Amino acid sequence: MFRSRAKTEKAPTDKVTADLSQQPRDPQAPKGRPTPKRSEAQTQRRRAASAAPADRKAAMKRQREARRADLARQREALASGDERFLPVRDKGPVRRFVRDYVDSRFCIAEWFLPLAVIILILSVIQVQNIQSISLLLWLGVIILIVIDSIGLSIRLKKQLSERFPDTPKRGAVAYGLMRTLQMRRLRLPKPQVKRGERP
């Protein structure tokens, strides 16, 4: 009675109407169904809330599986040297060159751990001469490692500036020096060049 004609004309005529065989719709429930009681609505909400953690658990399980698969691919890549699945720290042509350059050389630093164990055993022996020899050996090893590392860093910087003039090289020399501290057979990614082979 109080409705304007414009509104009634604008109403879409193609809406699906309720089946005539059903009871006529209650005018108090314009949605086509009675409004649920508060207790019913609360139980529905509780059911929805209790169903959510199951989905979250499933999503977390999928994430864990994906993370596990990524780590497995990374381990395989570290063993084979496959660039596609290497960690970000080891990716790129600059890092690959640094690895090959370090692996092609003999470095004193790679024998640091075995020498440290030998010197430690010698220092435990309660003989004055052996303890003084172990101290001299310790100082000698440290001096040799420092000299070798300085020489390696100078040569590596020169090679990097010649081969990769426009590529960012930040952290590449430190990456190479850290690699020298690991024994050759324990290095990851695995060495791809032999000793004495030019990278």
Side-chain angles (χ1 to χ4, degrees):
M1 184 172 156
F2 295 105
R3 289 184 186 170
S4 67
R5 266 190 178 172
K7 283 185 182 176
T8 54
E9 285 172 4
K10 282 180 188 175
T13 56
D14 58 343
K15 278 190 178 177
V16 179
T17 56
D19 192 2
L20 295 174
S21 62
Q22 293 178 351
Q23 290 180 349
R25 197 172 67 188
D26 185 11
Q28 296 295 325
K31 297 176 191 169
R33 58 180 170 75
T35 305
K37 293 181 182 177
R38 181 179 286 182
S39 58
E40 290 173 7
Q42 284 175 348
T43 52
Q44 284 178 353
R45 276 200 298 271
R46 280 195 205 103
R47 279 185 201 143
S50 64
D55 296 338
R56 203 180 320 135
K57 281 181 185 176
M60 286 175 72
K61 188 179 178 183
R62 281 196 299 272
Q63 276 184 340
R64 276 197 301 271
E65 286 170 1
R67 199 178 306 125
R68 210 172 287 134
D70 287 344
L71 288 171
R73 275 201 300 267
Q74 277 188 10
R75 275 195 296 273
E76 287 172 16
L78 287 169
S80 64
D82 188 359
E83 283 278 335
R84 292 172 300 165
F85 302 116
L86 283 175
V88 179
R89 177 197 61 165
D90 301 309
K91 274 187 180 177
V94 174
R95 297 296 169 108
R96 185 177 181 84
F97 174 76
V98 169
R99 285 196 303 273
D100 291 345
Y101 188 82
V102 169
D103 295 337
S104 66
R105 296 172 41 80
F106 173 79
C107 300
I108 299 165
E110 70 183 273
W111 297 101
F112 173 74
L113 285 176
L115 287 169
V117 170
I118 292 165
I119 291 166
L120 188 65
I121 291 166
L122 289 173
S123 65
V124 170
I125 297 168
Q126 296 295 324
V127 178
Q128 187 67 34
N129 289 338
I130 293 173
Q131 285 184 345
S132 59
I133 287 166
S134 68
L135 185 63
L136 288 171
L137 277 171
W138 186 249
L139 287 170
V141 165
I142 289 172
I143 289 165
L144 285 171
I145 287 171
V146 167
I147 291 167
D148 189 42
S149 299
I150 290 168
L152 176 72
S153 61
I154 290 166
R155 285 190 295 273
L156 189 55
K157 276 181 188 174
K158 188 180 176 184
Q159 289 287 325
L160 286 170
S161 60
E162 285 175 7
R163 292 187 185 229
F164 307 98
D166 301 324
T167 312
K169 299 173 279 291
R170 185 175 177 175
V173 175
Y175 176 75
L177 291 175
M178 288 302 294
R179 193 167 174 85
T180 61
L181 289 170
Q182 300 165 337
M183 294 185 75
R184 185 182 166 86
R185 67 179 65 183
L186 301 177
R187 289 174 185 168
L188 289 173
K190 295 280 184 189
Q192 302 294 313
V193 295
K194 294 177 181 176
R195 284 195 198 275
E197 187 180 338
R198 287 177 70 85

